[in-house]
Amino acid sequence: MKVLSIVGARPQFVKLGPIAHALTSAGHEHVIVHTGQHYDAKMSDVFFEDLGIPAPDVHLGVGSGSHGVQTGAMLTQLDAVIEEHDPDWVLVYGDTNSTIAGALSAVKLHYPLAHLEAGLRSFNRRMPEEHNRVLTDHAADLCLAPTDVARRHLESEGLGERTIVTGDVMTDVCLATAERVRDTPPTLPDGVEPGSYVLSTIHRAENTDDPQRLGAIISGLAALPYPVVLTAHPRLLARAADHGIDLTQGSLHTIEPFDYPAMVSAVQHARAVVTDSGGLQKEAFLLRTPCTTVRTETEWTETIDLGWNVLALDLDQLTALVDRPTPDPTDEAPYGDGHAADATVAALAERVRTRP
Ligand code: UD1
């Protein structure tokens, strides 16, 4: 079987890691296409190095732009790439502009399309990711759902017959990395001690693009009574500079993005996480660090139901939310047992068919 993976943004490299290993160990051919949506070394290259992912076979180098410009630049090049490699499956990941571009190109060329992390829904139609994931699910021949909640969403949209639940590949890589870094102290800014700090990331358009919203989030973080290690996505740095918001005020220790092992280690040793990242909400849950999510909803509802995540609907309550009592311990594993990549590869191999 020959699988062509299309990735472009940081969380997709994390998901690609276990899939690349599972494909290679099962003896399948794997072509990796990097769209270039994320291009800074700390947003891209370090993930390939740390997760042992082979260098991309094709790099489209599209860079930044508005949604239409960025997605269009990918589409312009993808048709030729897919046809040249002629895969049995085109595999797209998550919910970014690289996902929707890969999906559109594959289905228009009649290549079988599989969507990894299918069925997630925020039901917030202001999010670019919500459009990307809904459209990709409906285009896909195979929806690889990470959870039962995701499967139910797909069923309710009439996509049940092309859906299977594989578990979540981010669990595979998170648990394996946690084991690897267990005895490594976290890399922290000077003066910040393990166990004492709040780890934070903020990058989503709905939190960064409106100056008042971003100002309120940063003030809330700066007022926390603990050191706040804020690992800054380039979008946060750019918008904070545009809006004149100081990322060094109060409790903030703003640093460059972590590589993946450093992130896992930083979550393990944090007293709490405050984030708007989907992946980090789950990693916090898997590593049992209480999380507060700076959004009005989350796709990862299991983290809320099990008590390990809360939504910060009122930013004035941020300190109270971060200081809430430690959640009850749980053995629940809604995101699988760490073998989702093998299940994904097996599902693809079982369903290889001739192109229509
Ligand atoms: C994208 C995804 C988002 C995902 C996030 C993970 C979409 C619609 N959004 O958002 O779902 O959670 O990736 O990080 O696809 N930039 C750089 N260097 C880089 C990458 C980005 O400087 O390597 C800056 C640029 O100013 C760019 C901005 O960040 O304009 C936004 O980047 P973009 O890839 O468009 O979206 P993200 O906010 O990263």
Side-chain angles (χ1 to χ4, degrees), residues 23-45:
L23 282 168
T24 308
S25 20
H28 300 297
E29 213 179 327
H30 189 203
V31 178
I32 299 175
V33 179
H34 187 321
T35 62
Q37 175 169 354
H38 286 173
Y39 42 87
D40 288 356
K42 286 194 173 293
M43 297 293 288
S44 174
D45 304 12

Side-chain angles (χ1 to χ4, degrees), residues 285 301-309 327-330 332-335:
F285 170 73
T301 50
E302 303 85 354
T303 59
I304 305 255
D305 296 344
L306 292 167
W308 285 80
N309 191 8
D328 290 336
T330 175
E332 296 278 330
Y335 304 118

Side-chain angles (χ1 to χ4, degrees), residues 10 37-40 43 64-67 70 97 126-129 201-210 214 218 231-243 245 247 257 276:
R10 181 169 59 178
Q37 175 169 354
H38 286 173
Y39 42 87
D40 288 356
M43 297 293 288
S64 302
S66 69
H67 290 284
Q70 189 178 55
N97 291 341
R126 302 267 318 158
M127 287 177 71
E129 294 84 2
T201 74
I202 298 292
H203 77 279
R204 287 198 180 272
E206 61 268 30
N207 281 336
T208 53
D209 291 2
D210 170 18
L214 183 59
I218 296 301
T231 80
H233 184 292
R235 180 185 199 108
L236 172 63
L237 294 179
R239 296 298 179 273
D242 294 347
H243 307 328
I245 294 169
L247 294 179
D276 62 3

Side-chain angles (χ1 to χ4, degrees), residues 200 202 207 212-224 230 236 240 245-249 251-252 254 315 318:
S200 184
I202 298 292
N207 281 336
Q212 283 195 333
R213 171 84 183 156
L214 183 59
I217 293 170
I218 296 301
S219 302
L221 287 171
L224 289 177
L230 175 64
L236 172 63
I245 294 169
D246 176 11
L247 294 179
T248 62
Q249 57 184 293
S251 302
L252 293 178
T254 300
L315 288 169
L318 201 55

Side-chain angles (χ1 to χ4, degrees), residues 102-341:
L104 276 175
S105 186
V107 294
K108 298 265 179 173
L109 294 170
H110 307 300
Y111 276 89
L113 173 71
H115 183 205
L116 184 139
E117 208 176 74
L120 293 193
R121 296 290 181 267
S122 66
F123 303 102
N124 176 353
R125 289 176 58 81
R126 302 267 318 158
M127 287 177 71
E129 294 84 2
E130 184 74 354
H131 302 293
N132 290 340
R133 53 172 91 100
V134 169
L135 294 169
T136 301
D137 283 339
H138 283 257
D141 300 284
L142 180 60
C143 290
L144 301 157
T147 61
D148 277 329
V149 171
R151 178 180 52 74
R152 286 202 290 278
H153 291 149
L154 292 161
E155 280 172 357
S156 73
E157 293 174 25
L159 303 178
E161 284 190 3
R162 47 176 121 149
T163 296
I164 59 160
V165 178
T166 53
D168 179 3
V169 298
M170 285 187 94
T171 302
D172 301 16
V173 66
C174 179
L175 297 181
T177 306
E179 197 58 38
R180 193 147 64 87
V181 301
R182 189 203 298 274
D183 299 324
T184 319
T187 317
L188 297 171
D190 282 348
V192 178
E193 295 302 321
S196 73
Y197 61 93
V198 172
L199 177 68
S200 184
T201 74
I202 298 292
H203 77 279
R204 287 198 180 272
E206 61 268 30
N207 281 336
T208 53
D209 291 2
D210 170 18
Q212 283 195 333
R213 171 84 183 156
L214 183 59
I217 293 170
I218 296 301
S219 302
L221 287 171
L224 289 177
Y226 310 106
V228 176
V229 177
L230 175 64
T231 80
H233 184 292
R235 180 185 199 108
L236 172 63
L237 294 179
R239 296 298 179 273
D242 294 347
H243 307 328
I245 294 169
D246 176 11
L247 294 179
T248 62
Q249 57 184 293
S251 302
L252 293 178
H253 296 256
T254 300
I255 58 172
E256 289 195 319
F258 278 133
D259 59 36
Y260 190 72
M263 188 59 151
V264 168
S265 173
V267 175
Q268 277 177 323
H269 295 276
R271 64 179 300 137
V273 165
V274 178
T275 189
D276 62 3
S277 152
L280 191 52
Q281 290 171 52
K282 252 182 320 172
E283 282 148 5
F285 170 73
L286 293 168
L287 302 171
R288 300 297 190 267
T289 301
C291 182
T292 300
T293 294
V294 185
R295 285 181 52 194
T296 47
E297 71 285 306
T298 178
E299 299 79 14
W300 304 105
T301 50
E302 303 85 354
T303 59
I304 305 255
D305 296 344
L306 292 167
W308 285 80
N309 191 8
V310 293
L311 298 174
L313 299 175
D314 177 358
L315 288 169
D316 291 338
Q317 296 299 313
L318 201 55
T319 298
L321 292 174
V322 167
D323 269 339
R324 71 190 186 274
T326 307
D328 290 336
T330 175
D331 293 331
E332 296 278 330
Y335 304 118
D337 58 2
H339 297 95

